[in-house]
Structures are given as structure tokens and as C-alpha cells.
Amino acid sequence: MQIIVTGATAGLGEQIARDFVAAGHTVYGTGRRLDKLTALKESLGDCFIPLCFDVCDSQAISKVLGRIDLDKIDVLINNAGLALGLEPAHLADIQDWQAMIDVNIKGLVGVTHLVLPYMVANNQGLIINIGSTAGSHPYFGANVYGASKAFVKQFSNNLRADLINTRVRVTNIEPGMCGGTQFSQVRFKGDHQKAEAVYQGVEYLTAKDISNTVQWVVSQPWHVNINAIELMPTAQTYAGLAIARDI
Ligand code: 8X3
């Protein structure tokens, strides 16, 4: 199979790319960081094709992805995404909000818009979006991050609606707490203490757990569409609703 993985330079995207190459597939891995893409290419060989662009740049999406044979793409994994900040909404940085909207929403929509018509023309294909439990379950400070993942969830569902009468499939994978990646380092802008405190004493999900889930979704026959998978570490569960007293 030929697979596009966005945000392949680290974390979930890198693990997903590595596992697909190990399984004998060809991976087009996208990312902003040429040095990381080059290192991955050196490690993975000919089956990994690096595509250097920022998913926020709609012209770059068309220019770089336009160079490959999109007609041959079997699977698109929309993995590129980030969380920035954990402040309550009234203290949040508007630039953080805009960056999350740009990558998690506009970037995902831009790549999908380019690839989807080829899948429909071929009457086959699979789009896997990497959503989050934050798209369904609110938590303090998740404000725009959670809202962006709620967009991804409903966009996935609405794609399914439009894709009636085709064999093109869509899955939203919604992980909860996943450690061992740069997710929290990015969220807390390099504050290692804050980032590490998130995972202290928790047997968290790993990039490998998410990649295994992706592999399972891809292994299903064409007549099976996995609409969504929500997975959490066993150590994580629902927090319940919050009550303020005497406000
Ligand atoms: C990752 C899940 O709980 O860290 O999207 O926001 S969480």
C-alpha cells in the first residue's frame, strides 16, 4: 500500500510511519523539519519518501503533494496536530489558539481536500484522522485544543455522510493520555517539569499503542468502516462534572 502520514517527524506520526515501512508499505511522510525527515529517510530507506512542508501552508500542500502520484494513495493518516497551553480560556494566548486552529483544523482539512477526490475517483481509500478524547470530554484548559478535536470528530462523521455510495472509508482515532512523545513538551513550551508532571505515576498510552490501533483499522476488509475508536490508558477515566460552591 501507499500511505501518507502527516506529522511524521516525531511521536505518533514517526511510529506509524516506521510500522508501515516495517510491514512492507511505502510511506510518504510529511513534516516541517527537513533534518528530521532526512534522518528518518536514512533510517527507513527507499520505502520512506520525505515530503517537507507545513500543513498550515495551503500552497505548499498543493505544490509538494502535487508532485506525487496521488492516484496511487491507499491511506491518508492525518496525524499532524498539537496542543498549546493549558491556561483557562480567559488567560489563554490568542496566538496559541490560532496555531492550534491552523494545524489541527485548517491543516487537516487542506490535506484531506487535496487527496480525497483521487480516492473517490478510484472508489477506494481510507482516511484515518488522529483525534483525541479531548474532542468529546472537556477538561480544564483544553478550550481550543478540545474544540479543534471536536471539529476533527464531526468532520470525520460528515465525511462518512458524503462518502455514501463510495468505498472510501473514514476513521477517527481518539487517544487519551499518551506519553513518551513531545506532546506535553510542546504544550508547555519546553517546561520539562510541567511536561513530566503530567505523566508521573501513570502507565500512559504510548505511540506504539496508537500505531497498533492504526494497523488494526487498516487491516479491516473494505466493507468494514471503523467510525471511531476511543482509547485511554487503564489508569485514566472520566472525571465527572465539576461544581463550584459559593461563587
Ligand atoms: C491527547 C489527550 O488528554 O492529553 O489529545 O488532551 S489529552
Side-chain angles (χ1 to χ4, degrees), residues 132-134 139 145 175-177 183 187 236:
S132 168
T133 49
Y139 63 86
Y145 175 68
M177 183 189 275
F183 178 82
R187 170 170 252 175
Q236 183 178 33

Side-chain angles (χ1 to χ4, degrees), residues 31 52 86 90 96 101 114 130 140 145 156 171 174 176 186 199 213 244:
C52 192
L86 197 61
H90 57 286
D96 286 351
I101 291 167
L114 193 71
I130 303 297
F140 296 114
Y145 175 68
S156 305
T171 300
E174 304 163 19
V186 172
Y199 306 103
T213 308

